[in-house]
Structures are given as C-alpha cells and as structure tokens.
Amino acid sequence: MAKVFTQDMAKRMVAHQIKTSYNSGYQVFMIPEGFTTIGKSAFENMYTDNVIFPASLEVIEDNAFKNCCLREVRFPEQVRYIGNSAFEDCAYLYNVEFEYDLIEYIGDRAFYNCISLPDPDSIYNIEIPRSVKYIGRDAFARSEHFDEDEHLDLTILSNPDIRIDNCYSHEPIGLSAYATKPTAEHVAELNVISANEQYGGDRYVFTGYNAKELYADYILDRKDPYEDFIAKIPEGFTYICDNAFQHMPVDEVILPNSLQAIGEDSFSSTNISEIVIPPNVERIDRFAFARNEFLEKVTIKSDKISKMDAWFDDCPSLESITVPPCIREITSYTFDNCIN
C-alpha cells in the first residue's frame, strides 16, 4: 500500500527545520523511510535546497518540487514515476542522477526551465535509463524566453540516436520499443495517482492528459512487467482530442459506445494492432490512426460516417478493414503507404 508524504507533512518539516536549524541559509530535508509517494505539490514554492529521498520511494507526483531551490537530485532505486512539472522552475538544479534502470515515466514539463542543467563547470550530464518508456512534452525544455545557445547533454541509453535540445520545446518521446523491461522482482504494487486538477474540463472530452493518466495508472497498477498497456476509455466520453495518444506505447484501445468523434492524430504512432470503431462515431479526423506499423485489422461499426480521409496513412501491416456502406468518399491518402 502506498504511503504518501503530503504537502502538510512537508510544511511541518520545513517549519521545524527553520526553528531548529543553526544554519538557516541551507535547508536539507530527509524524508523518512517507508514513504513510497511524494504527494502532489508537496514542496512546491518552498525554500528547499536539498532533499534526501528514502530507498522506499516509488512515485513523485505532479508539481512535487516545482519552483524549489534544489541543487541536485539523486533518485533512489525504486523510483518508477516522475509526474508532470515535478521539478519545473528549479532554477538552481544542476545535477540529476538515476540510481537504477527502473524509472519508466517522466511527465510533461518534469524538468522544464531548469536553467542550470547542466552546470557548465561540472562533469555531470543526464543519462536517461534504458527502462524509460515515455518522456513527456517539454520534459527538459527551457523557457521560450531563454535565448542562450546552450544544449543539455541528455543521453538516452535505450536509444542514443535520439537527441533533445533543452533550449526549445519538444514533442513527447515514446521509448517503449527500446526500453529494457525490469525483472518481476522489481515490480511494485502501487496505488493510482490522483488527477491534476489544472487539466480539468468538460468530462465528455477525453484529452491528452487523460491519456497520460491511463498510462500512469497502467504503470502503477500492473502486477506483471510484461503486461500490455490496454487503454479503456470510460463510457460517457463523446470526443477524443487531437494527439491524445500520439507516440504513446499503447498496445490496445477499447473505445466507448458513447464516442462520437475522434480527433486528428489521436492514435497515430502507437503499438495498436486492432481497432473497433463504435456505432455512434460520426467523424474521424485526418491521420487518426496513421503511422501505426503494427495495425492489422480495423472494424467500423458506425453507419454515420460519410468520408474516410488519410486515417491509415503509413500503416504497412494493415490487412483487413470492414468499410460500411455509409462511407461514400475515400480520399487518395487514406491508405497511403499501406502496402498490403
């Protein structure tokens, strides 16, 4: 069972340190052993120079250390998940180290605008372990207002051909195909992390953040490290936003019967091999399932769609598709580069 180090605990720790420390100019905090999760916004905006993580730590939730004064971070062996904006705006952070190849998920803007990475006088660079399957949008990017011509030496051990420029924004990176899967004895049984309210909105719209939540739940809940990522979208959602699952290592998608529209590039560049379009879908935008090299079978149950437009561009494994009579127009790009 997860044991969460909460924001209230962090505030009490900081207050105690201020009252008892003989050196108020440098604050070091040691989170006790046994805690598996650092809760959402636990140390956000606090004057925190250094935090010593317990060996039991497995999850760092959204905004946990956002806008802190951390100098360096050493993640212990069991850390598996780093949430969105976990270390965003840590301007003094110059060194990040991973103890072991278990970390799998680095969220959106996790180290965004950490302008001291790397320290120009330091030998340290950042090595992304082979176990990492997903690096979120702008995870290591710097603010758009940062103009200096500097580049972070970010080594992705699972795929050294990938390069990231930390001065500019970048798209999410899916590394599932390259990741080294951890052995069974290292699999932790964790609770599901809570949603980040700042991404809330109309509950009928399934966003890219919702997709990342599903992936996070999969990582934290699974008992078998070789278990496929099955994204089951709950009933009630009517629209899947553009790019929702793009580049994510999703193996299977189960769409709800309530679904009415699927956005552009929403399932492009994934690992899905089969897709079933439910009966109430009225619109599917361009490239919705494009660049899926494993996609083999498509079944369309809807009788409300009139046009297919570049849905399956560059899906070389596509062998079977059921097209209903309601579709009256198929553009020339719909099956482009589908050699089968």
Side-chain angles (χ1 to χ4, degrees), residues 230-276:
I230 301 175
K232 184 176 182 180
I233 300 175
E235 286 292 337
F237 284 102
T238 58
Y239 176 60
I240 298 175
C241 284
D242 294 354
N243 313 109
F245 287 91
Q246 186 180 31
H247 296 297
M248 294 191 69
V250 54
D251 299 289
E252 181 181 345
V253 174
I254 301 176
L255 301 176
N257 287 325
S258 56
L259 191 64
Q260 298 176 7
I262 300 174
E264 184 172 317
D265 273 306
S266 52
F267 294 97
S268 65
S269 302
T270 66
N271 297 332
I272 58 176
S273 59
E274 182 177 353
I275 191 76
V276 177

Side-chain angles (χ1 to χ4, degrees), residues 129-148:
R130 292 176 175 83
S131 55
V132 171
K133 294 185 176 181
Y134 182 83
I135 299 175
R137 184 185 303 274
D138 295 336
F140 292 92
R142 294 194 179 183
S143 167
E144 60 185 11
H145 303 296
F146 189 83
D147 298 324
E148 293 185 25

Side-chain angles (χ1 to χ4, degrees), residues 117-130:
L117 281 176
D119 180 355
D121 298 323
S122 170
I123 63 172
Y124 293 118
N125 297 310
I126 300 179
E127 291 188 345
I128 304 299
R130 292 176 175 83

